Structures are given as C-alpha cells and as structure tokens.
Amino acid sequence: MLLLECPWCGPRSEEEFSCGGEGHIVRPLNPDELDDAAWGDYVFMRRNAKGVHFERWRHAHGCGRWFNVARSTVSHEILAVYRVGDDKPKVAP
Amino acid sequence: MSGRTAEGGRIDRTQRLKFQFDSETMFGYPGDTLASALLANGVRVVGRSFKYHRPRGLMAAGGEEPNGLVRLRRGGRAEPNVRATDILLYDGLLAESQNRWPSLKFDLGALNDRLSPLFPAGFYYKTFMWPASLWPTYEAVIRRMAGLGRAAESPDPDHYDKQYAHCDVLVVGGGPAGLAAAQWAGRTGARVILADEGAEFGGALLGNGQRIDGGAGMDWVTGVVAELGEADNVRLLPRTTAVGYYDHNALVMLQRVADHLARPEPGQPRQRLWQVRASQVILASGALERPLVLSNNDRPGVMGAGAAQTYVNRYGVRPGRRAVLFTNNDSAYPAALDLAQAGVDIAAVVELRPTAPLGWLSRLDEQGIEVLADRAVVAVEGRGAVKAVQIGKLNQARDGAIRGMGRRIECDLLCFSGGWTPSLHLFSQSGAKLDWNAAMGCFLPGDAVQAVRVVGAANGDFALQDCLDQGAHAGNFAANQAGQRRRGRGPRTPVADAGPDLTAPLPIWSIPGGGRGQGCGKAFVDFQSDVTAADLRLAAREGYRSIEHVKRYTTTGMGTDQGRTSNINALGIVAEALAVDVPQVGHTTFRPPFAPVTFGALAGRRIGGLLDPVRRTPMHTWHQANGAAFEPVGQWLRPYFYPRDNETMAEAVDREVLAARSSLGLMDASTLGKIDIQGPDAAEFLNRIYTNGWKGLAVGGCRYGLMLGEDGMIFDDGVTSRLGPEHFHMTTTTGNAARVLDWLESWLQTEWPELAVYCTSCTEQWAVASLCGPNARRLMAALCPELDLSPEAFPAMTWQAAKVAGFETRIFRIGFTGELSFEINVPAGHGPALWQAIMAAGEKYAITPYGTEAMHVLRAEVGFIIVGQETDGTVTPHDLGLGRMVSGKKDFLGKRSLSRADTSRPDRPQLVGLLADDPAIRVPEGAQLIAGANPAPPQVGIGHVTSSYYSPTLGRGFALGLLQGGHGRHGEAVHIAYDGNAVRAVVTPPRFVDVGERAK
Ligand SMILES: [Zn+2]
C-alpha cells in the first residue's frame, strides 16, 4: 500500500489514487503521417521498466488531478512527484 | 502429579470458570487460556493430526502452537481452527476437537497412520492422477479425511470493524524489548501504538520468571504498562496481532476485541482490523523455540521446554508428573529448575552438546537433577501419551546411535529445546532479506528496506539486558526519526539479571532413530501439515532443489501456523540431504497474513446491503409501488419490467413493447450518464473526442456521437446537445458514465491543457422521463400547451427548454426506440411529480411504463446498438456499419488506428441481423456462428450472437450478431451452434422494424 504525495493534497494512501501507466507518452501531432509501426508503438508499446519508472497517477478519490510519479518498480520507493507538463526529474534508483 | 500447582501463576484462583471441551464439563480460572485449562484438567490429546490422524497434544503455550486447533463456540458464532493457546478462558466457553470421526479417542482416520507407507510426500499428486473423471469422488473423500475444522453453518450474528490509524512509531510485540521501545518513544511525545498478540503485555517475562532491577520482571512490566496507559500519545493494543507488513510502512493488524467473551458487549465488534501507517516501525516480535526432530516426537506429552516453563510459571499448571528435558542449548536448564520448583519430578536433562554448561550444571546438581551430556533422546514410547524415552549416544557421523550405550527412562513429559528462531515473518514481508547465522543456527535480520528496526530476541539478541537496551535505544531513535526533536527524559535503563545463553545451540537437524521397537517411528518436522524428516529427504532424492518447490511438494510450512516451529528444521534437513549449506537452500518467502484472519474481519461492515452502494433513481419508489421487477445495471437498480396480474416476464415485455409501438410508452432514463461541458474550447474538445464533427452543431441541436479508444475500438456512445455557444450536455451509457468522465479529464489535464474546457458530472442532478410512441406528441401538447410541437418547430435531434406540467424542463427530441420520442429532463427532486403527471395525463392513451428489457427489444428491432453488448472492445464503427459517423476531415482519438492493416481488413466480424428458420426459436446471446450444419467439434467460429429477443411486433425471434465479412453476406445462411445443435438462420441487415413517417 503505497503512500503517494499528491502535489495538491499532500500524502495520501494508494487506495485514493488510480494509476494511469507510463507517463511522458506524447500523442503524435500528425497521426496520418505515421506508418502503422510508429502509430502502433505509440498506442501499444510500453517500457515495463525494472528500476525507475515514470508514471501517471490520478488522485481519483481526492482532487481528481493527474500528476507524475517517479517510482522504483523494484523497491516501490517514490523517487519524485511532479506536475503534468514538468520535465522528467533526474533521480537515482 | 500433573494438574494445577498449589499456588502461583497469573491466574485468579478466587473465581472458577466452567467450560466444555467435547461436551465434557471442566473448570479453570480467569487468566487461563483454553490450553492451560485443558492441561490443568488432565487433557493430553487435544486433536488429531491433518494427514495421519495421530493423537496430538499441546506443544507450545503461544501462537506457534501447531496441534491444539479447536472449533470454538457453536451455531453462527462457531469458528474453526482456533489455537487453544490463543483463547482466553471465559465462563461458558464451548470448544470441540477437530479432524476426528467419530470421536477424539476412537478415530477411524487413524488407519491412515497404519497405512502411512502409502502416503509419502506428493502422495496426492502421484496417486489421484487417473482417471480424471473420478476427481470429484477422490476430492470428497480426501476433504473429509485430511483437513482442519468445519466452518459455521449459519450466519455470524456478530459484526466486525475496520479502523485506520496513523502514528509516529508502531511497536509490534509487547515483551521487554517492545515495552522499552514504547516507553522511550512515548516519552518524546511521539504518537506511539504498541500491539501485542497476547492478552497481557510482558512477552517472555510472563513465562520465564526473569528478574529486573532486583525485583520480579513482571513488576517492571506492570510499571511500564501503567505509564504507557496514562500517556495520551500512546495507544495500547493487547490481543492484537500484526499480520501483514506492506509497502511504505503500512501494516495490518487483527484485534480480537471480544473473542475472550461468550458474546460481544452490545455495540462491540467481535474483531477489528487495523490498517496502520507508521512513520517508523519497531519489530520486537521475539523468538520461537524449535522442536528437536526425532522418532515419534509428536506424542502427546512432548512439549517445548519454554512452553512447559510458561505453563508452570504463568498458569500454575504442571504439564506432566515426571519429565525428561532434551536440549541443544542453555534454555532448558532454567526450565528444569522452574518445573522442579513447581513439583514436577525431573528424571533427567539430556544434553546434546558434548558438555553441559558448568554454571547451570552445578545449579541442577544442587537440586539433585541428573544431566546426561553428549546424549540424545532417540525415541519416544507411548501412543496416546508419552510413556518413556530411549536415550542413546550418537556415533561420530551422527547417523545412528552407538550400540550398548542406550538407556530407557519412564516419564510422561518430554521437553525439548532445539534452539530459538527469531520471529522475522513481518520483517521479511517488509521486503528485507534475512541473513543466515551458522553459529546461532538461525536467520537474522538483514538490511532494512523500509523505516523499520528489529530489536531483542527477534534480532538474535536473546539476553534480557540486550532486549531492554536495544528497545530503549530504538524507541528513542525512531521517535526522533519520525520528527520528534525532543529527547525523552530517559527513564533509567533497567538492569536485568543474567539469563541463559541461547546463542550457541548445537544444530543437529534430525536425531537418528536409534531406539528399539518404536525407534523407527515418524520424526515430525511440520506437525500441523504432518510432514516428516523422511518426507523432506524423499523430496530431495526425487530431485527437488529449491526450498520453494520442496515446500509445495511436501506441504511443509503451509499450515495455518506458517511453519513457525518447522521452517528452520526443514531447511536444515533439506540442506543436509542435498549436502549444501543452508543459505544455498534459501528460505521460503514469508507472505501475509502471519496469523489466520477471519473473513468477517476482512469484510468488516461491507456485508449484505453495505457490500456495494445501490443507486436508485428519483422515481424508484413509484416503480416499486407499481410492481416493477428490478435489474442491476452497474450499481443502479433499474425497472426490468412491470408485470401485471399474473403475467410472466415474457408476457409483460411483449405488452410493454407493443404499447410503445402502438400508442405510448414511458421509461425512466435517469441513469444515463450526464456530463455538463463548458468552456470556449468545448466544441473543439468534442471534435477531438468524438468520431464525427461538432463545430457545425447549432445551439439547440443534438447529435449522436461515438467515442473510440486510441486503438480505434468503440469505447462509448451517446447523444450530446448544444445548450449554448460554449455549453454542451453530454450523455453516456449508464454503466460507463464515470469512465467517460475520467477519459475526458485525462485528455484535458495531460495532453491538451491548453484547451479551456470544464467537465462536471450531473448524472444525479437530472431525472429523465423518456416518452415514446405514436401518441407522444398528443400527450406533450396536453402537458405543455404553450409549446409549438410541430415537426417543423421542434424537429427530431433538437432540444428546447420548456415547462412540462408546470415544471421547468429540458425536452430533447431524442429516443432509443425508433418511435416519436421526447426525453424530458427535470431537476431530480421534481422527477417523481413529473413522472406522475405524465402517467396521469397519458391515461387516455393507455400510457405504459416499460423497463429495460422492453427497451432492449425496441432498440434491437430498429437496429440500435448497445455499447458492451454489440461491442466488446474489439469493434470499430465500420464493423457496426456506422462508417458514416466517422469524419474524414479532422483528427480524433483513435482515427489513425482505423486504417491499420488489421482494423481495415474486409473480413472482420461485422454487425448483421439473424433470422432463424424457425420463428419460435430465441437463440442464446453469445452463441457461436458456424458455416456448416454439423455442430460437432472441432469448429471454426465465424462470429457470434450479440443480442437475441422475441419481437412481438414481428411475432418471431430475431437476433443481432457479429459475422465475419457480414456486410457482404445479407441473404446467405449461417448456423448458430448451441446445446449441441446447429440452427439455420438467414443473414439480414441489422434492422427489422420500419417505423416509417410516424417518428417524425
Ligand atoms: Zn489531490
């Protein structure tokens, strides 16, 4: 049961949140110009990282806001919490 | 003599408690556990073992007890598999032994023991392989013969609670180390929770009589508990077992609030499940005494030395008359002295090590107790009770006893001490590794990965002084780490008398059977799962190398005790059999829960009607009063149909459908998801979300829209209306409303933050009455005389704000039946009144309320799809023949996927109508479509039925389905396979009823 720090509400238990999977996946601006492989990569392919994972979470049963988390998938340590649109922070696993 | 001592113990001898075990009436005292009371009443056999049905007695005095599982209480309050050592005695307690038939003394299942050569490790896997069809028979027999207790047969009348808590320092274990930790942490002002599984704090001090500061150890405990009890920042939780240690210092604990009472006090839960988030955790979880593995070491009367010591010191109960103690470490010596003091005749202390410790030797000598060093107990005699033990000297290789060196001693109690195992289940659950310490013959905590410290015996520091020092230091340190800058005004560190040295046992994992006669009996490792040393060796010979596999194959450590007494011995024996060191075998993963947790505690208050919230529409009471049958749709309860008189469901649905087609029907559509969308970029946003265009929709207009996932598959559909230039009212399918709002929010917040759009759920703010049928306009004219309802002034797919029966409403010219429709939205509070007004005014048109089933028939007759019925996450708009809904001009979510090779191939399953040759047949939804008339397997499916109903309009059954390349196969025949038959059907366009001009 993770303890996540919502950037707007503060530390809350995992059960208040929903996880939105890998973060920093940008929707292509001109999908028509992509071939099937490139579009398929955007829609389906995810990193499934062992170690630092940058992912999206939503404070679903709180303020409702999406934000980003850098989490170690090995230890579940939360390495950083930052807002949507911010760059990936530099974190050491 | 066995039974109760004349004085002493932490029991109240002034008050007698009456209880029943297997219908026999017995007596005990407050302060007793069921276990101590049974021993005091001379009960030796408390249960039958899991597999062999061997008679078993109590082996421990605490939570590690593997044998003494009973069924507690009767009726709905009955609870199986409760450890007798955990049950506090109360007046009127009822307990029954388990796993025996017909009685504990005479158990037919004991034949299993005689037949035991037939039951080696992996027996079930090896034997019951064939024929598979007999498995149900095998299973029924196995379940009866091998197993634990029976669950209660009637509902539990008690209630269970859950509680969340936060603290700075959580201390698990209320022995000397834990008490010192809680005291020091508490004095800093930190918020402290101290939990202990026992009814009384004190841990080992409750049983071993060690002294602190020159007085009784328990006097020190009493002082500390009193101090903690008065502190506002400290919460004491006795009878509370920490069962799970999860990420980020989240722990789950089970508090037995009222298990020591016949029934809970009024308003009191029986048990409470705590979910605690702690800044810092201190584990003072103690250590458990290991059995020695030897022939027939499970006979009633074989018991841990520490347990026997606890029974005499804490409960004033002698577990036997004449005892032999057998040890590989120092802890049996003080136990022997305490037993002798209590009047137990000590026949001998058998010391496995080459020499006995000198200090203890002289103290035993003073009492005239014989110590036999460099000897082993090689066999236990007796079946229902220990009668004697055989003692021998082990040979050099320790694989047998030396001939001629044997000796037999009569006794009724054998106390073993095979060394101490730090209790590290929770520490391991926290994600940390354990390190093997060969000298101590046990695992010790490795580096912590969470904010946790292990202190005292759990840390391998068994000496009382170390426990007190470490606890105090850890308590203070943890409080500071949690943010308490204040240093506790230190209590003077208490000084303890030296106790036995437990750090250097001689680990001989299994004592070879050297005795005569019964010397080759079973040597048990896991008493609860009935696993012997021979089973483990067999597994090793059969090629098992990983302890995880050995565990599953032999079932060692898989009982409700989680192998508390057996794990280390099992590891040692397997390592020996494989000729490797213990660390190479590793240890099994410790998983929650550490102790059994009742389903009641896990469910808490979420049972019955509180399991899941039920959502009811504003008109629910009317539906109930008018005899509606209800259907759950997500969390909603919706009217399913409204049977009249003795109508069947089919008759009611037919009547409702025909009424809507011929005159007037009314449906409660309040459950439709409704989202209010506002902002300057609202139209642009909808343009990106829906497959069709939205910028051209005029204020006052309504439009049907399809939403796709980025994979191009239909995700939701619904009608959205433009209320103003920057204001839209979106509807979604009933079950998908929350998901759609999440979907909209996720795009607005993460991908398109530049769009100024605001989405608000208003599902529950509006009641919706959906009116349809040829007489709908006539009725509306009566209800809102000021409104021009002509098709020119108020055409389909538009909306108007108007008064209906005096209520301010929004009227949408949309529907789901193909008929002339008005969907009237009114603020939810007015829903019932509006509904009744419509029903009253509609009487002259025989207005008929209809439920979800008639709605399904009506929409399917005209070929309207339902998301989640015609679609399943693999269906595109083109598959449904809705290509006209897909804009070619703009981008939208999922558009690019529609041109991927697989998504655009022509033979995809496509929506068609299906008319069986036999009009009376209603095929089951989900049935497979096949090409040929022969349904015999193997078959290649070419599609499936998505919707199937009887149409009273057509007077026949009909269906919708997805058929490979279906759009091009109208007029062809396919077969629908179900129940071993193949029903021939003709493929048609997915539209069966034409409403013509009457819907305008
Ligand atoms: Zn929040």
Side-chain angles (χ1 to χ4, degrees):
Chain A
M1 187 73 74
L2 306 182
L3 186 68
L4 289 166
E5 180 136 358
C6 171
W8 286 271
C9 308
R12 295 288 190 279
S13 190
E14 181 182 337
E15 56 197 349
E16 293 187 18
F17 299 87
S18 60
C19 182
E22 188 177 336
H24 299 283
I25 293 171
V26 180
R27 187 169 198 271
L29 285 176
N30 296 304
D32 287 342
E33 292 165 16
L34 299 185
D35 61 18
D36 276 7
W39 176 255
D41 194 51
Y42 154 71
V43 176
F44 299 111
M45 303 309 281
R46 298 295 180 263
R47 280 186 61 231
N48 194 24
K50 180 178 182 182
V52 183
H53 192 234
F54 298 92
E55 58 195 16
R56 311 188 310 157
W57 286 79
R58 178 169 181 252
H59 195 187
H61 300 288
C63 63
R65 299 298 300 264
W66 284 94
F67 59 97
N68 290 319
V69 170
R71 177 179 64 97
S72 163
T73 58
V74 177
S75 67
H76 294 310
E77 191 186 347
I78 305 298
L79 304 161
V81 172
Y82 54 104
R83 295 186 182 198
V84 168
D86 290 356
D87 290 337
K88 279 184 191 176
K90 287 197 170 56
V91 289
Chain B
M1 56 160 235
S2 71
R4 201 69 77 169
T5 58
E7 55 183 20
R10 304 183 61 76
I11 48 171
D12 175 7
R13 293 177 195 247
T14 63
Q15 204 188 329
R16 232 165 54 131
L17 303 176
K18 192 167 147 184
F19 70 101
Q20 273 187 16
F21 179 67
D22 281 352
S23 307
E24 202 175 316
T25 300
M26 302 179 187
F27 296 93
Y29 298 114
D32 263 327
T33 60
L34 175 61
S36 66
L38 286 172
L39 275 179
N41 282 273
V43 176
R44 306 303 296 263
V45 180
V46 294
R48 288 275 175 171
S49 74
F50 181 71
K51 195 158 83 174
Y52 302 120
H53 290 244
R54 286 165 71 106
R56 289 280 167 81
L58 293 160
M59 222 180 74
E64 71 275 28
E65 171 60 38
N67 295 328
L69 303 183
V70 301
R71 190 177 202 248
L72 184 63
R73 302 182 291 265
R74 285 198 190 139
R77 289 193 164 93
E79 187 180 341
N81 308 332
V82 191
R83 287 186 293 250
T85 50
D86 287 346
I87 303 165
L88 291 186
L89 199 68
Y90 54 83
D91 201 49
L93 180 146
L94 302 170
E96 273 175 21
S97 58
Q98 303 184 151
N99 201 27
R100 81 289 189 269
W101 186 83
S103 77
L104 190 55
K105 287 201 178 89
F106 179 75
D107 171 25
L108 278 180
L111 276 174
N112 284 5
D113 194 22
R114 303 287 157 93
L115 300 174
S116 62
L118 300 178
F119 294 97
F123 167 71
Y124 299 119
Y125 303 121
K126 288 169 181 165
T127 309
F128 297 107
M129 297 287 287
W130 185 90
S133 62
L134 277 181
W135 241 114
T137 316
Y138 294 147
E139 203 179 359
V141 174
I142 294 168
R143 290 262 175 247
R144 193 173 335 135
M145 296 300 282
L148 297 172
R150 277 177 305 119
E153 289 86 2
S154 51
D156 188 339
D158 297 328
H159 72 270
Y160 297 76
D161 250 342
K162 286 191 187 177
Q163 185 156 343
Y164 293 84
H166 296 83
C167 65
D168 296 317
V169 182
L170 170 65
V171 183
V172 177
L179 285 168
Q183 186 183 34
W184 280 70
R187 287 195 179 184
T188 67
R191 291 173 305 158
V192 177
I193 296 177
L194 172 62
D196 188 274
E197 66 180 344
E200 270 192 280
F201 291 101
L205 293 173
L206 287 160
N208 68 16
Q210 278 187 266
R211 297 170 67 81
I212 294 176
D213 286 343
M218 283 310 294
D219 289 347
W220 174 82
V221 170
T222 307
V224 175
V225 171
E227 176 188 329
L228 295 174
E230 280 167 22
D232 292 336
N233 56 325
V234 178
R235 192 198 292 267
L236 294 178
L237 293 175
R239 299 193 302 275
T240 303
T241 309
V243 293
Y245 195 138
Y246 303 88
D247 292 314
H248 297 184
N249 270 0
L251 283 91
V252 170
M253 315 199 295
L254 180 71
Q255 182 185 17
R256 289 172 298 280
V257 181
D259 275 341
H260 60 299
L261 307 171
R263 59 183 56 193
E265 306 286 348
Q268 192 182 39
R270 176 166 290 287
Q271 297 176 344
R272 182 180 286 130
L273 198 73
W274 289 79
Q275 285 165 268
V276 182
R277 180 83 66 175
S279 296
Q280 302 282 320
V281 173
I282 295 173
L283 294 176
S285 35
L288 302 171
E289 195 167 33
R290 285 197 292 274
L292 285 159
V293 179
L294 61 112
S295 172
N296 289 329
N297 58 342
D298 66 325
R299 294 308 189 200
V302 179
M303 178 182 280
Q309 195 182 11
T310 297
Y311 281 117
V312 292
N313 289 341
R314 180 173 179 184
Y315 302 107
V317 174
R318 281 184 291 263
R321 294 180 185 85
R322 184 173 157 82
V324 170
L325 290 90
F326 180 24
T327 188
N328 68 1
N329 69 94
D330 286 6
S331 64
Y333 294 91
L337 290 171
D338 286 359
L339 286 167
Q341 172 85 29
V344 179
D345 179 16
I346 307 295
V349 175
V350 179
E351 169 63 80
L352 198 51
R353 292 174 292 183
T355 53
L358 281 178
W360 289 108
L361 197 57
S362 60
R363 288 181 63 181
L364 264 65
D365 201 39
E366 281 167 28
Q367 303 295 318
I369 299 173
E370 187 182 11
V371 177
L372 304 168
D374 196 20
R375 291 292 186 278
V377 174
V378 292
V380 180
E381 294 179 19
R383 181 169 167 78
V386 174
K387 289 204 177 80
V389 296
Q390 294 175 22
I391 293 164
K393 180 173 163 61
L394 300 187
N395 62 21
Q396 203 78 34
R398 289 174 181 163
D399 59 1
I402 298 171
R403 267 175 200 286
M405 303 281 286
R407 179 172 160 189
R408 181 174 181 277
I409 300 179
E410 290 193 1
C411 60
D412 63 353
L413 180 65
L414 172 66
C415 300
F416 57 75
S417 182
W420 292 78
T421 304
S423 195
L424 292 170
H425 298 71
L426 289 172
F427 183 70
S428 177
Q429 285 179 29
S430 79
K433 296 258 184 299
L434 308 182
D435 294 332
W436 178 251
N437 185 307
M440 295 172 66
C442 62
F443 284 101
L444 296 179
D447 292 336
V449 297
Q450 299 202 38
V452 57
R453 266 163 217 81
V454 185
V455 295
N459 198 36
D461 293 301
F462 300 109
L464 180 54
Q465 188 66 56
D466 290 345
C467 292
L468 296 169
D469 292 346
Q470 276 187 13
H473 179 259
N476 194 56
F477 188 77
N480 289 339
Q481 290 292 106
Q484 288 296 335
R485 289 281 153 257
R486 194 147 59 94
R487 193 185 153 75
R489 277 178 301 103
R492 188 184 52 78
T493 311
V495 180
D497 291 4
D501 177 12
L502 310 184
T503 57
L506 176 65
I508 298 181
W509 302 116
S510 155
I511 310 293
R516 297 177 301 274
Q518 295 179 37
C520 52
K522 293 187 182 70
F524 283 91
V525 179
D526 184 327
F527 295 76
Q528 198 183 83
S529 304
D530 260 0
V531 179
T532 64
D535 290 330
L536 294 169
R537 292 195 192 101
L538 176 64
R541 282 204 303 281
E542 289 183 351
Y544 288 89
R545 292 293 176 271
S546 152
I547 192 65
E548 293 284 2
H549 294 158
V550 171
K551 166 181 161 179
R552 282 156 183 80
Y553 188 57
T554 63
T555 72
T556 188
M558 290 178 69
T560 63
D561 62 350
Q562 286 219 332
R564 277 179 229 189
T565 53
S566 65
N567 279 336
I568 300 293
N569 283 338
L571 283 179
I573 289 166
V574 171
E576 221 162 58
L578 296 174
V580 298
D581 293 332
V582 170
Q584 281 173 262
V585 181
H587 60 81
T588 54
T589 310
F590 295 104
R591 293 192 179 85
F594 169 64
V597 180
T598 58
F599 284 113
L602 292 173
R605 303 272 180 159
R606 290 189 65 168
I607 54 170
L610 298 178
L611 176 63
D612 203 26
V614 175
R615 303 174 77 182
R616 298 181 180 86
T617 73
M619 287 81 96
H620 187 84
T621 314
W622 188 93
H623 304 317
Q624 268 182 321
N626 286 272
F630 289 92
E631 178 189 31
V633 181
Q635 289 172 330
W636 288 103
L637 270 187
R638 300 192 67 178
Y640 196 14
F641 55 96
Y642 300 81
R644 276 188 197 160
D645 305 322
N646 293 319
E647 269 181 339
T648 63
M649 173 174 170
E651 288 163 352
V653 170
D654 288 355
R655 175 178 51 73
E656 291 170 13
V657 169
L658 290 174
R661 288 263 180 258
S662 63
S663 177
L664 208 48
L666 184 63
M667 187 185 68
D668 182 352
S670 306
T671 62
L672 274 184
K674 296 177 271 300
I675 300 171
D676 185 87
I677 299 175
Q678 301 194 39
D681 299 315
E684 167 62 23
F685 178 56
L686 293 178
N687 235 24
R688 299 182 189 187
I689 290 287
Y690 280 127
T691 60
N692 48 351
W694 289 81
K695 289 193 169 167
L697 180 67
V699 173
C702 313
R703 190 165 283 179
Y704 176 67
L706 283 174
M707 287 181 203
L708 311 185
E710 280 285 60
D711 59 0
M713 303 303 157
I714 292 173
F715 162 65
D716 200 61
D717 71 344
V719 172
T720 291
S721 307
R722 193 161 202 165
L723 305 183
E726 299 182 358
H727 191 185
F728 291 83
H729 176 81
M730 175 185 280
T731 64
T732 75
T733 50
T734 294
N736 235 1
R739 265 188 294 270
V740 170
L741 182 61
D742 285 356
W743 177 248
L744 303 181
E745 277 291 332
S746 72
W747 289 100
L748 281 173
Q749 288 187 31
T750 67
E751 200 68 31
W752 305 320
E754 72 279 6
L755 294 185
V757 180
Y758 305 93
C759 302
T760 309
S761 166
C762 58
T763 300
E764 289 173 358
Q765 278 62 39
W766 294 97
V768 180
S770 182
L771 186 68
C772 76
N775 285 317
R777 184 172 284 117
R778 288 184 198 102
L779 177 64
M780 287 300 288
L783 288 168
C784 29
E786 291 137 46
L787 197 60
D788 182 355
L789 289 155
S790 67
E792 297 73 32
F794 196 173
M797 298 308 278
T798 63
W799 76 276
Q800 295 200 27
K803 275 196 172 169
V804 177
F807 298 104
E808 296 289 352
T809 72
R810 290 174 185 166
I811 307 170
F812 297 83
R813 279 281 329 265
I814 59 178
F816 200 40
T817 63
E819 297 295 334
L820 175 63
S821 296
F822 297 86
E823 213 170 87
I824 307 160
N825 285 233
V826 68
H830 295 311
L834 176 72
W835 181 273
Q836 287 177 47
I838 296 171
M839 285 301 298
E843 217 165 309
K844 64 176 156 183
Y845 304 109
I847 187 170
T848 303
Y850 65 93
T852 49
E853 185 64 13
M855 179 265 281
H856 274 96
V857 177
L858 288 161
R859 65 91 200 173
E861 285 178 340
V862 292
F864 291 159
I865 62 129
I866 288 186
V867 169
Q869 189 153 348
E870 271 63 57
T871 73
D872 58 3
T874 67
V875 178
T876 70
H878 299 288
D879 297 340
L880 297 185
L882 295 173
R884 66 181 185 280
M885 296 284 304
V886 178
S887 166
K889 292 185 202 140
K890 53 149 197 171
D891 188 27
F892 56 85
L893 294 179
K895 181 182 190 185
R896 175 65 185 80
S897 285
L898 296 177
S899 57
R900 295 178 72 237
D902 184 69
T903 325
S904 57
R905 69 188 157 83
D907 62 341
R908 288 178 61 82
Q910 293 162 345
L911 186 70
V912 294
L914 296 164
L915 289 176
D917 288 353
D918 179 351
I921 286 182
R922 186 180 157 187
V923 296
E925 290 171 355
Q928 292 295 305
L929 305 182
I930 56 175
N934 179 3
Q939 288 285 344
V940 178
I942 56 172
H944 70 278
V945 175
T946 59
S947 293
S948 175
Y949 309 98
Y950 174 77
S951 164
T953 318
L954 304 171
R956 58 161 300 142
F958 73 107
L960 296 170
L962 290 165
L963 171 65
Q964 285 177 7
H967 292 160
R969 298 174 74 164
H970 295 171
E972 290 181 19
V974 294
H975 288 81
I976 302 168
Y978 70 96
D979 278 355
N981 299 313
V983 172
R984 188 176 177 278
V986 176
V987 179
T988 71
R991 190 173 177 92
F992 304 90
V993 169
D994 186 6
V995 294
E997 292 296 299
R998 71 172 187 256
K1000 280 247 163 90

